[in-house]
Amino acid sequence: MLARIISLRFQIQVHLSPRYSTKEFCDLALLFLPIRMTTEEHKKFGAGLWFETVWKMYEVVEMGNKWGEELPNLFATLAYTNPDFMDWSPLYDVLFTRAIRAMGLSIRESKVIVGDAGSALSLGGIARMIVATLGGPYGCQRHLERMMQLVEPFMHPSNESSHTLLVLVFLQNVLQETVNRYREERTKSHKRKVPKEFYLTDSDIEKFTDAILQSLLYSLYTKDATTTKAPARLVMILGSLCPGRVFPRFFEHAYPAIFAVDEPHRLTQTLDCLFEVVFLIARDSNPEIKRLKMEKDWVREMEEQRSPTSPIAQYSLEKLSESMPFDIETRLTSFRCHIFYFLEMLIEGIDINDVAKANIAIHNLTLIFFIVPILDYSGCIDYHDDLTDEEKALCKISVRLPVLAEMALDKMLGIVESLAVTAPKDSSSVIGSFCVSV
């Protein structure tokens, strides 16, 4: 009865009421309209009576935030608890258009804002609605992909503007809701009580990851101090959901950034992200994960780029494979092996002439040495016959760890010694060179 009364009053308010009364009725809807019901109950005396009217009210607010900022939360709760209530597909055009406007995306010519910035308050509810309708027979995956294709150019570092923060807020909300849904469908003892066909599949998660990953990777290089830390954490969250697709793409950004010597901001931001994801990389051991193939074989590239005078040269994969019945490089299927190469590059990054790079490099080294015991495990192969070929290969490569630790210590002690040296009086001497006179 309450739903019928409110439905009737809503129909009157849509056409007759002033703006403030309509907002009051929207607030009443959030308080009193029943949501936690079965699908059959909704169709008889629940959302079946009021949904069409309330959605119409949401559509009426074409621009601005006169009312309805919280209505997406109402729709999201209904779509999440009763995904089989209706075919949600007809709503997607309006929903994703509102999302684009709420993120404050602009047209390049004269930077005209598309929509009202006040609608950014509804980003959380829109994100909930999008995640609630992912997967299943009425999934919004295709609309999400199309929207992120539009968003992607705006997240390029050269296009950084006021919209960058709003897009990151949206992505953060989407990721948080996706993680919550993943936990309720896969890890919690009390699973989500909906038909199994509406559960997220591995394919759904992979498509979702592919849709938002590039925008997240672009956002790593934002220069806004208020957002510089957020993208790295979002990449870490996405990496925990779908490591097989996130980390190969991250490596394709990380290795070139570390090799580059003329882009300090790109390097420091990449190393900040590495600090967030290095633990997930180090523990990657699930053979069932489908790992995306990288465009470039960075393990082979690192082996070829290494200087012959490096202390690690005597422990190259080629030389280590001589004592093994197989080629070690062909057995490195997980991401764990990249830890050894990141260690090499981070040690090279300890440079007193670039304090920011040295600081983040030492920060990463500290974490890696904390999670990876600095021991030579190559002898384990002789005592354990239950190791896989990859585990044997990693044990063999671990002979580098004590050497890498010694190299890192030498670098850091070198900085300490350099700091005790009198500053050079002319440009012919460089801080960090032990030829400077005291």
Side-chain angles (χ1 to χ4, degrees):
M1 179 60 69
L2 176 61
R4 289 183 181 275
I5 294 174
I6 293 180
S7 174
L8 178 60
R9 296 186 68 183
F10 266 129
Q11 293 175 23
I12 297 173
Q13 292 296 322
V14 167
H15 299 290
L16 302 178
S17 75
R19 142 185 167 181
Y20 68 89
S21 296
T22 308
K23 187 177 189 309
E24 289 176 356
F25 269 90
C26 288
D27 294 338
L28 286 174
L30 296 172
L31 289 174
F32 296 110
L33 287 180
I35 295 294
R36 305 290 181 176
M37 305 167 67
T38 65
T39 300
E40 291 72 19
E41 290 172 337
H42 267 301
K43 291 180 178 180
K44 290 181 180 179
F45 40 80
L49 302 177
W50 54 259
F51 181 82
E52 184 178 352
T53 302
V54 178
W55 178 259
K56 181 65 177 178
M57 294 187 66
Y58 182 63
E59 285 185 303
V60 167
V61 195
E62 184 64 23
M63 303 285 281
N65 60 337
K66 297 179 179 63
W67 65 77
E69 293 171 354
E70 297 297 329
L71 288 182
N73 280 309
L74 181 70
F75 306 142
T77 303
L78 178 62
Y80 187 75
T81 55
N82 301 90
D84 54 344
F85 169 69
M86 60 176 285
D87 181 359
W88 305 95
S89 304
L91 313 182
Y92 295 155
D93 287 342
V94 172
L95 183 68
F96 283 90
T97 300
R98 294 296 178 85
I100 293 171
R101 289 175 176 170
M103 286 185 279
L105 302 183
S106 58
I107 302 171
R108 292 303 301 169
E109 184 177 356
S110 72
K111 302 289 284 185
V112 178
I113 298 296
V114 182
D116 189 338
S119 59
L121 298 174
S122 63
L123 273 176
I126 294 175
R128 285 190 62 210
M129 182 66 177
I130 290 174
V131 174
T133 52
L134 278 176
Y138 318 123
C140 65
Q141 181 63 46
R142 180 56 187 155
H143 283 74
L144 178 63
E145 291 172 357
R146 291 170 59 190
M147 184 185 74
M148 294 311 301
Q149 288 173 1
L150 171 67
V151 171
E152 189 175 307
F154 288 93
M155 295 304 290
H156 192 277
S158 62
N159 294 327
E160 183 177 349
S161 185
S162 58
H163 64 264
T164 305
L165 178 59
L166 292 173
V167 175
L168 284 174
V169 169
F170 171 75
L171 292 177
Q172 182 175 359
N173 287 324
V174 165
L175 275 172
Q176 185 60 57
E177 294 299 328
T178 305
V179 170
N180 292 340
R181 181 175 172 183
Y182 182 92
R183 292 175 60 192
E184 290 198 7
E185 293 180 357
R186 301 200 181 191
T187 62
K188 287 187 176 181
S189 56
H190 300 287
K191 301 292 191 296
R192 182 184 175 205
K193 296 180 180 180
V194 298
K196 295 294 184 181
E197 61 180 332
F198 291 98
Y199 274 31
L200 286 175
T201 64
D202 290 341
S203 177
D204 293 330
I205 295 175
E206 289 174 359
K207 291 177 181 177
F208 169 77
T209 301
D210 291 340
I212 70 172
L213 179 57
Q214 187 57 54
S215 294
L216 276 181
L217 292 175
Y218 277 153
S219 68
L220 287 175
Y221 309 112
T222 178
K223 295 183 179 180
D224 186 350
T226 61
T227 60
T228 51
K229 299 296 182 182
R233 296 191 179 100
L234 296 181
V235 172
M236 181 267 291
I237 294 172
L238 191 60
S240 64
L241 280 176
C242 193
R245 305 189 81 80
V246 173
F247 293 139
R249 297 283 298 280
F250 170 70
F251 292 153
E252 290 174 357
H253 281 70
Y255 279 104
I258 297 175
F259 277 125
V261 295
D262 56 347
E263 298 180 77
H265 176 72
R266 179 186 176 195
L267 173 61
T268 54
Q269 292 298 99
T270 302
L271 292 181
D272 276 333
C273 185
L274 177 62
F275 183 81
E276 297 289 343
V277 303
V278 68
F279 180 76
L280 296 176
I281 296 172
R283 67 191 294 267
D284 174 51
S285 59
N286 188 351
E288 298 179 0
I289 292 178
K290 297 178 181 178
R291 295 173 177 84
L292 195 66
K293 186 176 181 180
M294 288 180 279
E295 295 180 1
K296 194 171 186 178
D297 187 350
W298 288 106
V299 172
R300 172 51 45 194
E301 182 73 14
M302 285 294 297
E303 292 291 326
E304 294 175 353
Q305 291 281 345
R306 184 184 296 116
S307 170
T309 60
S310 170
I312 301 297
Q314 59 181 316
Y315 303 115
S316 66
L317 294 185
E318 182 179 356
K319 293 182 178 180
L320 292 176
S321 297
E322 293 175 356
S323 59
M324 300 293 289
F326 51 78
D327 183 5
I328 290 180
E329 187 175 349
T330 61
R331 298 300 194 273
L332 300 176
T333 55
S334 70
F335 301 131
R336 290 177 289 181
C337 63
H338 291 275
I339 294 295
F340 296 98
Y341 299 102
F342 282 134
L343 279 173
E344 284 189 66
M345 292 190 292
L346 290 170
I347 292 170
E348 292 298 323
I350 301 176
D351 182 5
I352 195 173
N353 298 297
D354 190 337
V355 177
K357 181 174 73 171
N359 181 48
I360 189 62
I362 294 174
H363 202 191
N364 277 277
L365 284 170
T366 303
L367 178 60
I368 294 176
F369 283 137
F370 179 77
I371 62 179
V372 179
I374 310 171
L375 295 172
D376 177 2
Y377 296 98
S378 56
C380 292
I381 301 174
D382 301 326
Y383 297 96
H384 297 274
D385 55 3
D386 57 344
L387 299 176
T388 64
D389 285 349
E390 186 194 14
E391 290 170 339
K392 292 178 181 178
L394 291 172
C395 286
K396 201 67 178 176
I397 301 176
S398 69
V399 71
R400 300 177 180 179
L401 286 174
V403 181
L404 290 168
E406 187 175 350
M407 291 169 60
L409 187 60
D410 288 342
K411 276 275 191 175
M412 287 184 278
L413 290 177
I415 288 183
V416 173
E417 291 184 23
S418 297
L419 292 175
V421 174
T422 304
K425 298 179 180 179
D426 54 58
S427 59
S428 61
S429 301
V430 179
I431 295 179
S433 170
F434 297 106
C435 297
V436 179
S437 58
V438 181

PDB file of all heavy atoms in Angstrom, residues 216 219-220 227-237 269 272-274 276-277:
ATOM      1  N   LEU A 216      44.115   3.505 -16.041  1.00  0.00           N
ATOM      2  CA  LEU A 216      44.830   3.490 -14.764  1.00  0.00           C
ATOM      3  C   LEU A 216      46.333   3.654 -14.969  1.00  0.00           C
ATOM      4  O   LEU A 216      46.996   4.380 -14.225  1.00  0.00           O
ATOM      5  CB  LEU A 216      44.549   2.183 -14.019  1.00  0.00           C
ATOM      6  CG  LEU A 216      43.279   2.110 -13.178  1.00  0.00           C
ATOM      7  CD1 LEU A 216      43.183   0.753 -12.494  1.00  0.00           C
ATOM      8  CD2 LEU A 216      43.240   3.219 -12.151  1.00  0.00           C
ATOM      9  N   SER A 219      47.152   7.137 -15.647  1.00  0.00           N
ATOM     10  CA  SER A 219      47.008   7.991 -14.462  1.00  0.00           C
ATOM     11  C   SER A 219      48.204   7.893 -13.522  1.00  0.00           C
ATOM     12  O   SER A 219      48.356   8.734 -12.632  1.00  0.00           O
ATOM     13  CB  SER A 219      45.727   7.626 -13.708  1.00  0.00           C
ATOM     14  OG  SER A 219      45.825   6.339 -13.120  1.00  0.00           O
ATOM     15  N   LEU A 220      49.050   6.880 -13.704  1.00  0.00           N
ATOM     16  CA  LEU A 220      50.242   6.767 -12.861  1.00  0.00           C
ATOM     17  C   LEU A 220      51.126   8.001 -12.975  1.00  0.00           C
ATOM     18  O   LEU A 220      51.860   8.343 -12.041  1.00  0.00           O
ATOM     19  CB  LEU A 220      51.059   5.531 -13.252  1.00  0.00           C
ATOM     20  CG  LEU A 220      50.504   4.159 -12.876  1.00  0.00           C
ATOM     21  CD1 LEU A 220      51.393   3.066 -13.449  1.00  0.00           C
ATOM     22  CD2 LEU A 220      50.398   4.020 -11.367  1.00  0.00           C
ATOM     23  N   THR A 227      46.729  13.442  -6.172  1.00  0.00           N
ATOM     24  CA  THR A 227      46.325  12.167  -6.777  1.00  0.00           C
ATOM     25  C   THR A 227      47.492  11.256  -7.109  1.00  0.00           C
ATOM     26  O   THR A 227      47.283  10.162  -7.629  1.00  0.00           O
ATOM     27  CB  THR A 227      45.529  12.427  -8.074  1.00  0.00           C
ATOM     28  OG1 THR A 227      46.360  13.143  -9.008  1.00  0.00           O
ATOM     29  CG2 THR A 227      44.287  13.244  -7.795  1.00  0.00           C
ATOM     30  N   THR A 228      48.724  11.660  -6.826  1.00  0.00           N
ATOM     31  CA  THR A 228      49.872  10.881  -7.280  1.00  0.00           C
ATOM     32  C   THR A 228      49.956   9.501  -6.640  1.00  0.00           C
ATOM     33  O   THR A 228      50.493   8.573  -7.243  1.00  0.00           O
ATOM     34  CB  THR A 228      51.183  11.643  -6.998  1.00  0.00           C
ATOM     35  OG1 THR A 228      51.187  12.061  -5.615  1.00  0.00           O
ATOM     36  CG2 THR A 228      51.309  12.858  -7.886  1.00  0.00           C
ATOM     37  N   LYS A 229      49.444   9.339  -5.428  1.00  0.00           N
ATOM     38  CA  LYS A 229      49.540   8.046  -4.747  1.00  0.00           C
ATOM     39  C   LYS A 229      48.375   7.121  -5.087  1.00  0.00           C
ATOM     40  O   LYS A 229      48.520   5.900  -5.034  1.00  0.00           O
ATOM     41  CB  LYS A 229      49.576   8.261  -3.231  1.00  0.00           C
ATOM     42  CG  LYS A 229      50.769   9.074  -2.736  1.00  0.00           C
ATOM     43  CD  LYS A 229      52.080   8.364  -3.003  1.00  0.00           C
ATOM     44  CE  LYS A 229      53.256   9.167  -2.450  1.00  0.00           C
ATOM     45  NZ  LYS A 229      54.554   8.513  -2.748  1.00  0.00           N
ATOM     46  N   ALA A 230      47.230   7.688  -5.431  1.00  0.00           N
ATOM     47  CA  ALA A 230      46.034   6.872  -5.654  1.00  0.00           C
ATOM     48  C   ALA A 230      46.159   5.899  -6.827  1.00  0.00           C
ATOM     49  O   ALA A 230      45.789   4.726  -6.692  1.00  0.00           O
ATOM     50  CB  ALA A 230      44.815   7.773  -5.836  1.00  0.00           C
ATOM     51  N   PRO A 231      46.657   6.318  -8.005  1.00  0.00           N
ATOM     52  CA  PRO A 231      46.693   5.379  -9.138  1.00  0.00           C
ATOM     53  C   PRO A 231      47.490   4.115  -8.855  1.00  0.00           C
ATOM     54  O   PRO A 231      47.085   3.024  -9.268  1.00  0.00           O
ATOM     55  CB  PRO A 231      47.341   6.212 -10.255  1.00  0.00           C
ATOM     56  CG  PRO A 231      47.036   7.628  -9.905  1.00  0.00           C
ATOM     57  CD  PRO A 231      47.077   7.676  -8.413  1.00  0.00           C
ATOM     58  N   ALA A 232      48.617   4.233  -8.161  1.00  0.00           N
ATOM     59  CA  ALA A 232      49.426   3.043  -7.868  1.00  0.00           C
ATOM     60  C   ALA A 232      48.646   2.047  -7.023  1.00  0.00           C
ATOM     61  O   ALA A 232      48.711   0.834  -7.249  1.00  0.00           O
ATOM     62  CB  ALA A 232      50.714   3.463  -7.154  1.00  0.00           C
ATOM     63  N   ARG A 233      47.895   2.559  -6.068  1.00  0.00           N
ATOM     64  CA  ARG A 233      47.100   1.663  -5.219  1.00  0.00           C
ATOM     65  C   ARG A 233      45.964   1.021  -6.014  1.00  0.00           C
ATOM     66  O   ARG A 233      45.610  -0.138  -5.777  1.00  0.00           O
ATOM     67  CB  ARG A 233      46.547   2.433  -4.025  1.00  0.00           C
ATOM     68  CG  ARG A 233      47.642   2.961  -3.094  1.00  0.00           C
ATOM     69  CD  ARG A 233      47.077   3.492  -1.795  1.00  0.00           C
ATOM     70  NE  ARG A 233      48.146   3.955  -0.917  1.00  0.00           N
ATOM     71  CZ  ARG A 233      48.490   5.220  -0.760  1.00  0.00           C
ATOM     72  NH1 ARG A 233      47.846   6.161  -1.420  1.00  0.00           N
ATOM     73  NH2 ARG A 233      49.471   5.564   0.057  1.00  0.00           N
ATOM     74  N   LEU A 234      45.402   1.765  -6.949  1.00  0.00           N
ATOM     75  CA  LEU A 234      44.337   1.197  -7.775  1.00  0.00           C
ATOM     76  C   LEU A 234      44.879   0.110  -8.694  1.00  0.00           C
ATOM     77  O   LEU A 234      44.218  -0.907  -8.923  1.00  0.00           O
ATOM     78  CB  LEU A 234      43.676   2.308  -8.601  1.00  0.00           C
ATOM     79  CG  LEU A 234      42.947   3.395  -7.798  1.00  0.00           C
ATOM     80  CD1 LEU A 234      42.309   4.413  -8.737  1.00  0.00           C
ATOM     81  CD2 LEU A 234      41.897   2.791  -6.883  1.00  0.00           C
ATOM     82  N   VAL A 235      46.082   0.310  -9.221  1.00  0.00           N
ATOM     83  CA  VAL A 235      46.713  -0.739 -10.034  1.00  0.00           C
ATOM     84  C   VAL A 235      46.954  -1.982  -9.183  1.00  0.00           C
ATOM     85  O   VAL A 235      46.769  -3.118  -9.639  1.00  0.00           O
ATOM     86  CB  VAL A 235      48.034  -0.228 -10.645  1.00  0.00           C
ATOM     87  CG1 VAL A 235      48.795  -1.368 -11.319  1.00  0.00           C
ATOM     88  CG2 VAL A 235      47.763   0.874 -11.663  1.00  0.00           C
ATOM     89  N   MET A 236      47.349  -1.772  -7.933  1.00  0.00           N
ATOM     90  CA  MET A 236      47.568  -2.906  -7.032  1.00  0.00           C
ATOM     91  C   MET A 236      46.266  -3.675  -6.781  1.00  0.00           C
ATOM     92  O   MET A 236      46.244  -4.909  -6.807  1.00  0.00           O
ATOM     93  CB  MET A 236      48.154  -2.401  -5.712  1.00  0.00           C
ATOM     94  CG  MET A 236      48.458  -3.489  -4.692  1.00  0.00           C
ATOM     95  SD  MET A 236      47.084  -3.779  -3.555  1.00  0.00           S
ATOM     96  CE  MET A 236      47.114  -2.250  -2.615  1.00  0.00           C
ATOM     97  N   ILE A 237      45.172  -2.941  -6.569  1.00  0.00           N
ATOM     98  CA  ILE A 237      43.879  -3.596  -6.339  1.00  0.00           C
ATOM     99  C   ILE A 237      43.457  -4.386  -7.571  1.00  0.00           C
ATOM    100  O   ILE A 237      43.017  -5.541  -7.474  1.00  0.00           O
ATOM    101  CB  ILE A 237      42.814  -2.547  -5.971  1.00  0.00           C
ATOM    102  CG1 ILE A 237      43.143  -1.904  -4.622  1.00  0.00           C
ATOM    103  CG2 ILE A 237      41.425  -3.181  -5.923  1.00  0.00           C
ATOM    104  CD1 ILE A 237      42.251  -0.731  -4.266  1.00  0.00           C
ATOM    105  N   GLN A 269      57.379   7.793 -10.571  1.00  0.00           N
ATOM    106  CA  GLN A 269      55.995   7.336 -10.457  1.00  0.00           C
ATOM    107  C   GLN A 269      55.891   5.832 -10.699  1.00  0.00           C
ATOM    108  O   GLN A 269      55.105   5.137 -10.052  1.00  0.00           O
ATOM    109  CB  GLN A 269      55.104   8.090 -11.444  1.00  0.00           C
ATOM    110  CG  GLN A 269      54.931   9.568 -11.129  1.00  0.00           C
ATOM    111  CD  GLN A 269      54.272   9.782  -9.787  1.00  0.00           C
ATOM    112  OE1 GLN A 269      54.948  10.043  -8.788  1.00  0.00           O
ATOM    113  NE2 GLN A 269      52.965   9.661  -9.738  1.00  0.00           N
ATOM    114  N   ASP A 272      57.111   4.115  -7.633  1.00  0.00           N
ATOM    115  CA  ASP A 272      56.078   4.186  -6.593  1.00  0.00           C
ATOM    116  C   ASP A 272      55.044   3.076  -6.784  1.00  0.00           C
ATOM    117  O   ASP A 272      54.592   2.450  -5.819  1.00  0.00           O
ATOM    118  CB  ASP A 272      55.377   5.547  -6.628  1.00  0.00           C
ATOM    119  CG  ASP A 272      56.144   6.608  -5.856  1.00  0.00           C
ATOM    120  OD1 ASP A 272      56.867   6.239  -4.913  1.00  0.00           O
ATOM    121  OD2 ASP A 272      56.030   7.794  -6.200  1.00  0.00           O
ATOM    122  N   CYS A 273      54.670   2.843  -8.028  1.00  0.00           N
ATOM    123  CA  CYS A 273      53.709   1.778  -8.323  1.00  0.00           C
ATOM    124  C   CYS A 273      54.327   0.409  -8.060  1.00  0.00           C
ATOM    125  O   CYS A 273      53.662  -0.492  -7.540  1.00  0.00           O
ATOM    126  CB  CYS A 273      53.233   1.884  -9.769  1.00  0.00           C
ATOM    127  SG  CYS A 273      51.931   0.706 -10.198  1.00  0.00           S
ATOM    128  N   LEU A 274      55.597   0.263  -8.410  1.00  0.00           N
ATOM    129  CA  LEU A 274      56.284  -1.002  -8.151  1.00  0.00           C
ATOM    130  C   LEU A 274      56.268  -1.329  -6.666  1.00  0.00           C
ATOM    131  O   LEU A 274      56.091  -2.492  -6.268  1.00  0.00           O
ATOM    132  CB  LEU A 274      57.728  -0.926  -8.660  1.00  0.00           C
ATOM    133  CG  LEU A 274      58.610  -2.149  -8.389  1.00  0.00           C
ATOM    134  CD1 LEU A 274      58.045  -3.386  -9.079  1.00  0.00           C
ATOM    135  CD2 LEU A 274      60.045  -1.893  -8.844  1.00  0.00           C
ATOM    136  N   GLU A 276      53.981  -0.698  -4.604  1.00  0.00           N
ATOM    137  CA  GLU A 276      52.649  -1.184  -4.235  1.00  0.00           C
ATOM    138  C   GLU A 276      52.407  -2.622  -4.693  1.00  0.00           C
ATOM    139  O   GLU A 276      51.712  -3.382  -4.015  1.00  0.00           O
ATOM    140  CB  GLU A 276      51.571  -0.268  -4.832  1.00  0.00           C
ATOM    141  CG  GLU A 276      51.598   1.163  -4.325  1.00  0.00           C
ATOM    142  CD  GLU A 276      51.142   1.291  -2.882  1.00  0.00           C
ATOM    143  OE1 GLU A 276      50.514   0.338  -2.375  1.00  0.00           O
ATOM    144  OE2 GLU A 276      51.426   2.328  -2.258  1.00  0.00           O
ATOM    145  N   VAL A 277      52.961  -2.993  -5.841  1.00  0.00           N
ATOM    146  CA  VAL A 277      52.613  -4.291  -6.431  1.00  0.00           C
ATOM    147  C   VAL A 277      53.687  -5.352  -6.250  1.00  0.00           C
ATOM    148  O   VAL A 277      53.463  -6.512  -6.606  1.00  0.00           O
ATOM    149  CB  VAL A 277      52.297  -4.141  -7.941  1.00  0.00           C
ATOM    150  CG1 VAL A 277      51.178  -3.135  -8.162  1.00  0.00           C
ATOM    151  CG2 VAL A 277      53.534  -3.728  -8.733  1.00  0.00           C
TER     152      VAL A 277
END
